Amino acid sequence: METNKDTALTTPNETGFSVIDDPNARELVYGAFGDLGITDFQLDKLKIPGGGSTAFMVETLEGEEPMQVIEGVIILMKGNQKVWWKETIDQSSAPSEPDCKSSDGRTGFGINTLEEGAEPEEHDCGKCHWNQFGSTRSGGTGKGKDCKDSTHIFFFQKGNCLPTHLSAPATSIKAVNDYYMKLLNAGKKINAVVTKIGLERVSGGGGGSYSKLTMSYGGDLDAEAVKASNELTDRLKPFLSKFDAFSDSSE
């Protein structure tokens, strides 16, 4: 009996996500994190473009390519990340290690004052002046916070064996949270579905435009793929959860 060549080469439960489809690829990833000590700085970064662009520049083997929508499987989201710099962007040509940061949105550690000679210490983020709306020193309408909020998202793209890191700034956090709540309300785990990540152009208060994340449901993974995704989450979460809030200052 003649065998259909296309059928023979297709895995019944193939998703297109390498580490979900291939157990050997997962073992290579675990070994990379465990033996090589991969850090967040070594992961691919998906950056939100400026100027209201609706396309990401995505790293590929052939170089950067523009993509309007990226499909991914999210294995970890870290909210309540905060960073604050004593020097504003206008005063410093390039971002440096923040003077104060928090990984839980409640307790910050560092220097949170403009006074000279202050020593790093713990701070209550809820009482910190720079965490209040209206504290921004960057101009504009002055309604924002000088302390920068972000949500860090780690996900797998199709064809990639290592996770990608996306830092969602304050302007995109509501879209991320709204999407998560929709999944929760539907009884779906975020690592059990395919998520479509895109951008929309938003007009700013000062007359300019900026790019804001969009996230939408792209379908369920099947039972075997969910099992693999759960394994990835369990094995990589201890490593990814240690990456601090300063790892991506692209916002």
Side-chain angles (χ1 to χ4, degrees), residues 29-149:
V29 173
Y30 304 147
F33 275 90
D35 299 335
L36 299 181
I38 285 179
T39 69
D40 188 32
F41 293 99
Q42 295 169 299
L43 297 181
D44 283 344
K45 302 289 195 299
L46 183 65
K47 296 186 177 182
I48 298 178
S53 172
T54 56
F56 296 104
M57 294 305 296
V58 181
E59 288 287 345
T60 70
L61 284 176
E62 291 76 29
E64 285 191 330
E65 293 184 6
M67 293 186 186
Q68 291 190 314
V69 177
I70 296 172
E71 290 188 340
V73 175
I74 298 172
I75 59 170
L76 179 66
M77 292 204 305
K78 289 177 62 181
N80 298 315
Q81 307 296 293
K82 295 179 179 291
V83 288
W84 181 77
W85 287 268
K86 186 175 180 178
E87 288 190 349
T88 63
I89 298 298
D90 295 335
Q91 296 171 316
S92 178
S93 59
S96 58
E97 178 72 19
D99 294 281
C100 189
K101 56 188 176 183
S102 174
S103 60
D104 62 8
R106 296 186 296 272
T107 303
F109 184 81
I111 297 172
N112 70 339
T113 176
L114 298 178
E115 297 178 5
E116 296 297 330
E119 294 293 328
E121 60 182 7
E122 282 193 355
H123 307 285
D124 183 342
C125 293
K127 297 179 180 179
C128 178
H129 167 71
W130 307 114
N131 193 40
Q132 310 306 316
F133 288 102
S135 64
T136 182
R137 295 173 293 158
S138 61
T141 61
K143 295 181 181 180
K145 299 192 298 182
D146 211 50
C147 182
K148 305 302 182 186
D149 294 308

